[in-house]
Amino acid sequence: MGQYGALAAALVTLLIAALCLLVQLRLREKRPHLAYWAAAHVALAINFLLFGYTDWRGNLLYAFGVVLMQQSFAVLLAFGIRHHLNLPSNIAAATALSGAITAAVVSLMVIYPAVFFAAPGIALLLVQLYGGALLLIHRRSVLYIGLGLLLILRSLNTLIYVAVAQQQGGPPTAKWPFIISLLVNLATGIGLVLLEFDDAHRAMTESARAKDDALALVQAVIDTVQAVVHYKDRDLRYQLINRRSRQVLGYGDAPIVGKKLSEIGPPDLALPIERGDRAVLFNKDVVIDQEWHWRDADTGKQKIYWLSKSVVRDSASEPMGVVTAAIDITALKETERRLIQEREAAERANKAKSQFLANMSHELRTPLNAILGFSEMLDAGYLGPMTPRQQEYVTNIHRSGQHLLKLVNDILDLSKIDAGKMIFAPERLELDALMAEAVAMVAPAAQSESVTLTHLPGKHPVYADRRALTQVLLNLLSNAVKFNRPGGNVTLRCDQQDGQVTVTVADTGFGMSEQEIAHAFEPFQRGDAHKARFKGGTGLGLAISRNLVELQGGHFTLESRQGSGTTVRFSFPSLETSGLLASGMGAD
C-alpha cells in the first residue's frame, strides 16, 4: 500500500467519520448508530496508518493493534446497523466482541503462521457479511438493498485481498487492490450516511400520511357533531369546518378550506366575526361566550346559538389559531321563556289564592265569633235554663265553632306566610314561663288521652315573637298528645349549647315512616290517615310551626321512627349572641 496510500485511505475514512458526526449534530433526534459508524471509520483509519507506517508483521504488539482496529471497524459497523434497525445493541457488547475476535485471530496467527494473512481477513469477511445480510433482510428501500449488496461485495473484495496476500506472503504490491478497497470503503461510508436521508424522507412521508389520517379522523368526528365547529389559523383562514357549519353558513360543498370568511362572505357578516377572532387570538384576557342570533341558511329560520371561541397555542404558548363552537339553544330559550311565563302565572295564581284565603278567613271569623259568643251565653244560662238535650246541642255547637275558628286561623296564618305578610314583634322571652303556659293549656287534652306531660325547666331567654312562639309550642304539644298512645309520655325541655337555645318536644307515640316524614311539612298533611281520622286537626300545624320559627331566624328539625315516637326541635340564637330579628314583611 505504501505510506502515501495508507495516509490517503486514513484521510478518506476520517472524512466519512466526520460526515457521520456532522449529520448526528444537525439532527434534532439523537441517532447513536451514527456514532457507531463514526467510531468504526476512526478505527479503520488507525488500521490504515498502522498498516502503512509500522512493521506490524515482525512485531506482535503492532500486529495485535492492526487486527484489533480491523475487527473493531467491522463489529462497530455491524452493531451500528443493528441499532439502526432497532435490534438490541450496546457499546460494551461491541467492545467485548471486538476484543474476543482479535484475541482469537492473533492466537491463530501466532500458532499457525501459514494463516497469518488469512485469519484476520476471514474474520473481517464474516462480520461484513453479517452486516450486509441484516440490511438485505430488513430491506426497507432500494438504498438498503444496494448498501447490503455493497457490503457483500466488500466482503468478496476482502476475500480476494486475503487470497492474494496469502499467496504472495504479504500485502499486494499492485495498485488495483488498494484502489478497489479505497473506493469500496468510500462508497460504503457514503451509503451509510445516505441511509439517514432515506430514513428522513420516509419519516416525512409517514408524518404527512399520519397528519392526513389525523385530519381525516378529526373531520369525521366533528362532522358527527350537531353543532357549529370550525378552526382557523393565525391568518383567519379555515383549516377545519364541519358539516353543520357548512349548513348553517350556507356553504354546502364549496371549497372554503384555506380561505378567509371575508373572501367568501358578505362584509356585514365577515367583519364582526373576524374582529372577534382577532380579539381572542391576540388578547390573552379576551374570552368570547355569548348568544349569537343567526338566520340558518338551510332552514331560513331565526335561531339562537351559544357561541364560544377559544385560542389554540403551540408548545411556546404562541397562538396558532382559533376554534369556534356554537350550539343551537333556540329550543332551550323557548322552553326557558315558557317556564318563566308558567312560573309567573303560578305565582300570580298562588298570590290570588293566598289573598282569597286571607279575605275569606277574615269574613268567616266575624260570624264564627258571633256563633261562639251566643253559644257561650246559652251555655251560661243567660236566656234561662235548658234541657239536658239542649245543653248537649249547645256544647256541640261551641266545640264545632272552636274547631272551625282554629281552622280559619291556621289558614289565615298560612296565607300570611305565603303572601309574605306575617309580622313579628320580637321581645325578650323567658322560655320556661312560656313553656309552662303551653303545658297548662294542653294538659286537659293530655289527661283525656291518658298521656303524661313532662316539663323539664330551663331558664334560657331568647329574643322572639311571643304569639308566634306560643303557637309553635301549642302546635307541637298538641300533635305529640294527639298522636300518642294511651299511657304514653310527652317530654318538653329547653337546653343551651354552642350559642343556641334549643326546645325539644319528644313523644312516645306512633312515629312516622320515611314517606310521611318527606311530606310532613306540606300543608294539610296529617300523617297516617287511619291514625289521624278521629283525632281532628287541619294538617297545617307542622308547616306553620316551621315557617314561624325559620322566619324569625331559627332552625327547625324533625326526627321520627315508625313505632318509636317523634322528636321535634327548634332553636334560636341565645340572647347573648343574637342580634335583632329581621323586621316584619308587609302588613296585615
Side-chain angles (χ1 to χ4, degrees):
M1 178 187 296
Q3 292 183 349
Y4 292 111
L7 180 61
L11 290 176
V12 169
T13 52
L14 286 176
L15 179 63
I16 295 173
L19 189 59
C20 290
L21 291 177
L22 180 62
V23 173
Q24 169 75 308
L25 292 174
R26 295 300 299 271
L27 292 175
R28 289 184 180 181
E29 181 185 358
K30 297 306 178 184
R31 314 278 283 179
H33 53 271
L34 286 170
Y36 278 97
W37 293 338
H41 282 84
V42 169
L44 185 60
I46 296 172
N47 168 71
F48 283 140
L49 292 174
L50 289 174
F51 202 90
Y53 284 89
T54 62
D55 185 11
W56 59 276
R57 286 174 292 180
N59 188 311
L60 184 60
L61 182 60
Y62 284 157
F64 185 87
V66 169
V67 174
L68 178 61
M69 292 300 103
Q70 283 180 345
Q71 306 309 317
S72 295
F73 161 73
V75 170
L76 287 170
L77 188 70
F79 268 69
I81 293 173
R82 285 182 61 83
H83 191 281
H84 183 72
L85 298 174
N86 298 318
L87 298 173
S89 60
N90 61 75
I91 192 67
T95 304
L97 183 60
S98 300
I101 294 175
T102 299
V105 168
V106 171
S107 298
L108 283 173
M109 292 168 65
V110 172
I111 297 173
Y112 301 102
V115 296
F116 189 87
F117 295 103
I122 292 174
L124 192 63
L125 165 72
L126 294 175
V127 179
Q128 290 179 133
L129 280 174
Y130 172 71
L134 283 177
L135 290 173
L136 289 176
I137 292 171
H138 296 81
R139 50 186 184 278
R140 296 178 178 177
S141 68
V142 175
L143 188 60
Y144 278 74
I145 297 173
L147 187 58
L149 293 174
L150 184 60
L151 282 175
I152 293 175
L153 178 62
R154 181 173 183 158
S155 302
L156 295 175
N157 177 66
T158 301
L159 182 63
I160 295 171
Y161 193 90
V162 167
V164 172
Q166 190 70 28
Q167 184 179 8
Q168 294 181 358
T173 56
K175 292 183 178 180
W176 64 266
F178 166 70
I179 295 173
I180 292 175
S181 298
L182 189 61
L183 291 175
V184 171
N185 284 337
L186 183 61
T188 303
I190 293 174
L192 291 172
V193 174
L194 288 177
L195 281 184
E196 292 305 310
F197 293 97
D198 180 71
D199 280 356
H201 174 71
R202 287 188 299 104
M204 289 175 62
T205 303
E206 291 175 2
S207 176
R209 187 183 300 114
K211 181 180 178 181
D212 292 341
D213 292 344
L215 286 175
L217 176 61
V218 172
Q219 186 69 55
V221 170
I222 65 175
D223 277 343
T224 63
V225 178
Q226 292 302 309
V228 173
V229 179
H230 56 253
Y231 169 69
K232 300 177 184 177
D233 60 18
R234 283 175 57 94
D235 297 325
L236 302 186
R237 297 185 182 278
Y238 286 103
Q239 298 301 321
L240 278 172
I241 182 167
N242 73 337
R243 185 180 296 112
R244 182 60 183 153
S245 294
R246 291 176 173 272
Q247 293 171 349
V248 170
L249 297 173
Y251 294 143
D253 295 327
I256 62 174
V257 172
K259 298 180 180 179
K260 295 182 178 181
L261 181 59
S262 55
E263 296 173 353
I264 56 178
D268 59 336
L269 168 66
L271 288 177
I273 291 179
E274 291 189 348
R275 188 183 302 119
D277 292 338
R278 290 190 187 93
V280 173
L281 266 173
F282 304 111
N283 297 279
K284 290 185 177 180
D285 297 331
V286 172
V287 176
I288 293 183
D289 282 301
Q290 62 187 26
E291 288 185 7
W292 180 40
H293 294 262
W294 177 258
R295 185 178 297 279
D296 278 4
D298 59 338
T299 63
K301 295 180 179 180
Q302 189 71 25
K303 295 288 186 70
I304 304 174
Y305 289 85
W306 184 256
L307 179 71
S308 177
K309 291 182 181 291
S310 58
V311 65
V312 178
R313 300 184 182 277
D314 59 17
S315 58
S317 295
E318 291 298 320
M320 295 171 53
V322 59
V323 173
T324 301
I327 302 173
D328 185 354
I329 59 170
T330 307
L332 183 63
K333 295 293 289 185
E334 178 60 27
T335 302
E336 180 185 23
R337 184 188 62 79
R338 188 171 61 252
L339 289 175
I340 291 174
Q341 291 177 343
E342 291 174 355
R343 185 193 66 191
E344 291 174 348
E347 288 175 351
R348 288 194 298 269
N350 187 60
K351 190 173 183 179
K353 176 209 70 175
S354 299
Q355 188 65 43
F356 168 76
L357 289 175
N359 293 337
M360 183 194 69
S361 300
H362 278 295
E363 294 298 325
L364 286 175
R365 279 201 299 183
T366 300
L368 277 174
N369 285 327
I371 291 171
L372 290 173
F374 284 124
S375 64
E376 289 173 358
M377 289 174 63
L378 290 172
D379 187 51
Y382 282 97
L383 301 179
M386 293 184 295
T387 66
R389 191 177 184 83
Q390 290 173 331
Q391 185 73 43
E392 180 184 354
Y393 287 165
V394 168
T395 302
N396 288 338
I397 290 171
H398 190 269
R399 184 182 301 115
S400 298
Q402 285 182 322
H403 176 71
L404 189 56
L405 182 61
K406 185 178 186 307
L407 174 61
V408 169
N409 286 333
D410 285 347
I411 292 175
L412 181 60
D413 285 342
L414 187 63
S415 65
K416 285 182 179 179
I417 290 170
D418 285 344
K421 294 184 177 181
M422 181 63 71
I423 297 177
F424 299 103
E427 59 181 296
R428 177 190 173 95
L429 297 176
E430 295 292 341
L431 274 180
D432 193 41
L434 208 63
M435 291 162 61
E437 293 175 8
V439 168
M441 295 171 70
V442 178
Q447 186 176 2
S448 65
E449 297 286 345
S450 301
V451 173
T452 302
L453 280 175
T454 303
H455 173 209
L456 302 177
K459 295 185 180 296
H460 304 297
V462 294
Y463 193 68
D465 182 88
R466 176 182 293 275
R467 187 193 67 81
L469 204 52
T470 301
Q471 186 175 352
V472 171
L473 288 170
L474 289 175
N475 285 344
L476 298 182
L477 287 172
S478 297
N479 282 349
V481 170
K482 188 187 304 180
F483 295 100
N484 216 316
R485 61 186 84 246
N489 295 299
V490 175
T491 302
L492 176 65
R493 71 173 186 271
C494 180
D495 306 290
Q496 181 172 345
Q497 186 177 6
D498 299 330
Q500 295 285 319
V501 176
T502 302
V503 176
T504 303
V505 180
D507 66 63
T508 59
F510 304 130
M512 302 169 68
S513 65
E514 292 184 3
Q515 184 177 3
E516 290 172 333
I517 292 174
H519 299 283
F521 296 106
E522 296 177 8
F524 304 104
Q525 292 294 323
R526 297 197 297 165
D528 193 340
H530 82 271
K531 297 172 185 175
R533 186 175 302 157
F534 303 107
K535 299 291 186 177
T538 63
L540 297 172
L542 277 176
I544 292 174
S545 297
R546 186 174 73 167
N547 278 291
L548 291 176
V549 169
E550 293 182 349
L551 286 174
Q552 297 185 84
H555 186 63
F556 195 98
T557 61
L558 181 146
E559 298 173 6
S560 186
R561 187 176 178 183
Q562 199 160 24
S564 301
T566 301
T567 300
V568 180
R569 294 183 178 89
F570 65 90
S571 59
F572 291 98
S574 63
L575 197 59
E576 293 78 6
T577 59
S578 64
L580 295 177
L581 295 178
S583 60
M585 299 172 60
D588 192 359

